[in-house]
Amino acid sequence: MKYYLPILLLLFFSCRAQEKPENQKIYCLGQNIPSNIPEIFGAGIISVEGRFETGLTISPDCKSIAFGVYHESKSEETCIYLMNYVSGKWTTPTNTFLPDNVNTFYPMFDPFGNTLYFVKSKEGSETDLWSATYVNNKAIDPQPLNSIFNSNSREAGHGKSKNGSFYFTSNRDDQHQCCGDIYRSEPEKGNYTKIQKVSELSSSADEESLFLSPMGDYIIIQAWQYESDSKHDLFISYLTKTESWTVPERLDSEINGKEIEQRPFISSDNQYLFFSRISIPPESGSDHYESDIYWVSTASVFKPFPYHPIPVKHLEYNESFQIQLPEDMFKDVDNNIISYELSLNNSLDLPEWIRFDEKKLLLIGSWRTKEPAILKITAIDDYGNKSVLPLLQTKNN
């Protein structure tokens, strides 16, 4: 668990990090920094009561915030708003920064802040992926992405890494048009010429939106994994050394509540997760939905993950072993792994025939059990988050 010091409310349109006064986070909009319980972001400014907000993005320099607003019956009010930090204060959100800003959704700045990607529907058609050059606080020359990205079906979530990897969701699969899957395209000599479905991140359920980290080392997806609950939750997956994605893991129950969580975004310092949450206000009746943007500390979001795992070794009785574990067996996005634990059949009381040098990551011993047994290693970060991998187990006879 991470412990938080008291936070003082500073200027209305700025807030300061706890550790160092010079680390001013201008995008905080004067709010107290959240802990591991999500709080509404920009209440009355971005998250307005009675309005349906549909996701947020912050430019890499933290001086532009774009967010979507949806209106069920008035298409001209479904658009993207922008506010900028100019001369020490934030401008009032405006929707005039983007030409033809109608039926636009889900803004996302690229990792360099030069391009604004978004989704747009024209004349009642399915949504397509668009981009506009972002310069001088304006989005200019908006154009749909080329035809390999946009199909006759719905395209929605999208994200781009610094090396050019582009991920997006699409309902183009003829076998599952009701549900979105995740696709990617890699640049070849600066051009995108083909796409492929990312099977590790796609399921038979619906993947709707995503956030791809600037380094391309993790992805947060909105997915309908539990259909009986009739809702979407947020899941995280990490890229391993072999360029494969780990099995998406649901974020904790403080983030994924009973409502619909969607449109994830992580601040450029990896400290805060932003997302929109759809709920039904209890006093409004069952036909009225409220959607606001929330933010929360990533203390429980990022956990150690298996970056370079080794195959489980099966041992005979009395078989000796000496295993050098790779230094990059685990990685952690936001901090260093501070300790390891070994457990045999889930007990931390190891027998004398197992020795582990944590500094050298060296495992030595002689397998002295005929009974079914498994030795696991647990990596722990300084927030107490854990990740477990099996190392040794009794060989089946």
Side-chain angles (χ1 to χ4, degrees):
M1 178 181 294
K2 184 177 179 182
Y3 294 91
Y4 295 87
L5 298 174
I7 306 296
L8 295 178
L9 183 63
L10 300 179
L11 298 177
F12 178 67
F13 280 128
S14 66
C15 70
R16 197 175 297 275
Q18 294 167 249
E19 297 85 358
K20 296 181 180 179
E22 65 268 24
N23 289 340
Q24 194 177 34
K25 294 181 173 62
I26 58 175
Y27 57 79
C28 293
L29 302 184
Q31 295 180 268
N32 291 342
I33 294 175
S35 62
N36 60 345
I37 298 179
E39 299 178 5
I40 289 179
F41 179 72
I45 305 170
I46 292 175
S47 297
V48 176
E49 185 175 356
R51 193 171 69 178
F52 202 94
E53 290 85 26
T54 62
L56 169 146
T57 182
I58 302 173
S59 61
D61 65 3
C62 301
K63 294 184 178 181
S64 295
I65 300 176
F67 59 96
V69 171
Y70 176 77
H71 197 289
E72 188 172 8
S73 60
K74 298 180 180 179
S75 61
E76 68 275 10
E77 294 187 23
T78 295
C79 58
I80 297 170
Y81 282 81
L82 178 78
M83 53 192 301
N84 298 296
Y85 193 72
V86 180
S87 301
K89 63 180 181 179
W90 285 97
T91 60
T92 301
T94 177
N95 61 1
T96 61
F97 76 104
L98 174 66
D100 193 23
N101 191 3
V102 176
N103 274 334
T104 53
F105 309 80
Y106 319 146
M108 188 70 69
F109 285 108
D110 82 324
F112 304 103
N114 301 322
T115 303
L116 181 70
Y117 291 93
F118 58 97
V119 169
K120 185 176 178 65
S121 173
K122 297 201 72 172
E123 299 175 354
S125 66
E126 297 285 359
T127 55
D128 287 333
L129 301 176
W130 286 58
S131 70
T133 301
Y134 189 72
V135 59
N136 295 329
N137 299 333
K138 293 283 187 180
I140 61 174
D141 192 28
Q143 297 288 336
L145 301 190
N146 71 40
S147 58
I148 71 161
F149 295 107
N150 291 319
S151 67
N152 292 326
S153 299
R154 169 183 169 84
E155 276 72 45
H158 47 281
K160 187 178 183 180
S161 69
K162 288 184 175 181
N163 68 5
S165 297
F166 194 90
Y167 283 66
F168 65 101
T169 64
S170 175
N171 290 47
R172 68 184 63 199
D173 189 333
D174 291 336
Q175 302 299 317
H176 303 94
Q177 285 192 355
C178 66
C179 301
D181 293 308
I182 295 180
Y183 294 80
R184 73 173 168 219
S185 183
E186 302 292 340
E188 298 178 1
K189 297 182 179 179
N191 296 314
Y192 295 94
T193 58
K194 57 185 178 182
I195 66 168
Q196 64 179 115
K197 182 187 288 189
V198 187
S199 58
E200 307 104 300
L201 302 177
S202 301
S203 69
S204 59
D206 185 35
E207 284 76 39
E208 162 67 9
S209 64
L210 60 85
F211 172 79
L212 180 67
S213 72
M215 301 308 296
D217 54 349
Y218 69 87
I219 190 169
I220 299 177
I221 59 177
Q222 168 196 344
W224 187 8
Q225 296 283 12
Y226 303 103
E227 296 186 49
S228 61
D229 292 339
S230 298
K231 65 184 292 292
H232 286 80
D233 284 330
L234 300 180
F235 294 75
I236 189 167
S237 176
Y238 301 94
L239 196 65
T240 69
K241 191 169 185 175
T242 59
E243 298 291 312
S244 60
W245 290 99
T246 62
V247 176
E249 181 178 353
R250 184 178 181 271
L251 301 186
D252 71 26
S253 57
E254 295 291 355
I255 295 171
N256 288 312
K258 296 180 180 180
E259 302 85 1
I260 295 175
E261 285 77 32
Q262 56 181 358
R263 318 296 168 210
F265 176 80
I266 297 285
S267 58
S268 58
D269 56 11
N270 279 330
Q271 291 191 12
Y272 306 105
L273 164 67
F274 298 81
F275 62 95
S276 56
R277 174 179 282 171
I278 300 177
S279 59
I280 304 175
E283 69 279 0
S284 65
S286 61
D287 60 345
H288 177 74
Y289 289 85
E290 178 84 12
S291 179
D292 292 307
I293 294 171
Y294 285 73
W295 66 326
V296 66
S297 166
T298 55
S300 67
V301 172
F302 300 123
K303 301 179 179 180
F305 67 94
Y307 178 73
H308 185 191
I310 61 175
V312 178
K313 187 173 180 62
H314 297 76
L315 297 170
E316 303 273 8
Y317 176 66
N318 268 342
E319 183 176 350
S320 298
F321 56 87
Q322 179 171 316
I323 301 174
Q324 178 64 63
L325 304 181
E327 291 185 1
D328 59 354
M329 189 171 189
F330 295 94
K331 280 192 174 183
D332 197 316
V333 169
D334 60 348
N335 58 72
N336 294 322
I337 297 165
I338 61 171
S339 64
Y340 296 91
E341 289 178 348
L342 285 184
S343 61
L344 185 67
N345 286 355
N346 298 322
S347 172
L348 297 178
D349 296 326
L350 295 179
E352 62 181 7
W353 43 268
I354 297 177
R355 301 190 304 276
F356 179 56
D357 187 327
E358 185 171 343
K359 290 185 178 180
K360 296 181 179 179
L361 294 180
L362 185 63
L363 188 63
I364 302 173
S366 181
W367 199 251
R368 296 293 179 86
T369 177
K370 296 180 181 179
E371 300 299 322
I374 183 166
L375 180 71
K376 300 176 182 178
I377 185 170
T378 301
I380 309 169
D381 68 16
D382 58 6
Y383 296 142
N385 300 312
K386 299 180 179 181
S387 182
V388 182
L389 281 176
L391 293 177
L392 308 174
Q393 71 179 58
T394 304
K395 189 173 184 179
N396 294 328
N397 295 322

